[in-house]
Amino acid sequence: MTETATADLTVAIDQDAVDRLFCDARTASHFTDAPVTDEQKRTIYELTKMGPTAFNSQPMRITWVESPEARERLVKHMSRGNQEKTRNAPLTAILSYDENWHEHFPEFLPAAPQMKSMYDENDDMRITSGKANSHIQVGYFIIAARTAGLAAGPMTGFNPAGVDEEFFEGAGKHSIVVVNLGTPVEPEYARNPRFDAEDVTETI
């Protein structure tokens, strides 16, 4: 396992962009007091939605947690190690999936709206697809936040059932990841190593 190096990689975009999005970017736990602007929030969503999902389904939903009252409602459902960082982040987003995403087939796939009926009749397939494609969108969300000049601190250390009851009761949404966002302070530790390609990839 090695530190990430990109000098010998073939990339089709500016190296500074590669570094900002992947190589220099870090998961953040602590942020400055600089606020996240409405323009940055819009940028995050507008870029996130452009990433591919099955049938263009876009099942992930974003709940921006800004007010102190909403922040405390969320913090009580976070694991102990994630509470203070969530309380103090400039902005927090709850990323969830919409269990009724298939209802929007006429909007996201106007060429084949009849496909909705396939998911009407198969709850397992509908939920599995909604979860899987929302998790894919989480990755786009993180890259979009970095594109907007921010750092992201994604967390799965929380009580999803508690968050769902607190924020989404009756709405058909189910939380999957909580993400803190803001301008990061200098990391307190070195980047952890990544696997070398030969350890985790194969050609068949």
Side-chain angles (χ1 to χ4, degrees), residues 1-5 26 189-196 199:
M1 300 179 73
T2 61
E3 292 288 334
T4 302
R26 301 283 298 277
Y189 52 87
R191 180 190 295 277
N192 288 318
R194 266 50 174 180
F195 288 104
D196 292 323
D199 296 326

Side-chain angles (χ1 to χ4, degrees), residues 69-199:
E69 295 79 11
R71 188 72 60 112
E72 289 305 316
R73 289 169 58 201
L74 175 60
V75 164
K76 68 183 181 182
H77 298 292
M78 303 300 295
S79 63
R80 187 178 301 275
N82 289 332
Q83 289 181 345
E84 281 305 305
K85 65 177 73 173
T86 301
R87 180 177 285 118
N88 295 322
L91 178 66
T92 301
I94 304 171
L95 306 185
S96 59
Y97 74 90
D98 182 358
E99 66 178 27
N100 298 310
W101 62 269
H102 68 305
E103 297 287 350
H104 302 282
F105 256 100
E107 299 167 58
F108 62 69
L109 197 67
Q114 72 279 4
M115 291 189 65
K116 171 183 175 297
S117 63
M118 179 171 64
Y119 292 92
D120 284 332
E121 301 163 3
N122 192 325
D123 288 347
D124 287 343
M125 184 168 65
R126 174 170 52 83
I127 296 301
T128 298
S129 181
K131 285 182 178 179
N133 284 281
S134 292
H135 278 93
I136 292 171
Q137 287 190 280
V138 170
Y140 304 147
F141 181 94
I142 293 169
I143 297 301
R146 293 172 175 178
T147 303
L150 303 170
M155 300 168 288
T156 55
F158 65 97
N159 177 6
V163 170
D164 293 352
E165 182 178 3
E166 186 79 38
F167 292 95
F168 305 137
E169 188 171 13
K173 295 194 289 188
H174 303 276
S175 54
I176 50 177
V177 179
V178 174
V179 186
N180 289 329
L181 298 160
T183 301
V185 300
E186 191 68 25
E188 299 174 355
Y189 52 87
R191 180 190 295 277
N192 288 318
R194 266 50 174 180
F195 288 104
D196 292 323
E198 57 267 24
D199 296 326

Side-chain angles (χ1 to χ4, degrees), residues 3-25:
E3 292 288 334
T4 302
T6 62
D8 60 345
L9 298 182
T10 301
V11 296
I13 60 175
D14 185 89
Q15 183 63 48
D16 288 342
V18 174
D19 291 339
R20 173 180 288 275
L21 297 180
F22 295 98
C23 301
D24 292 340

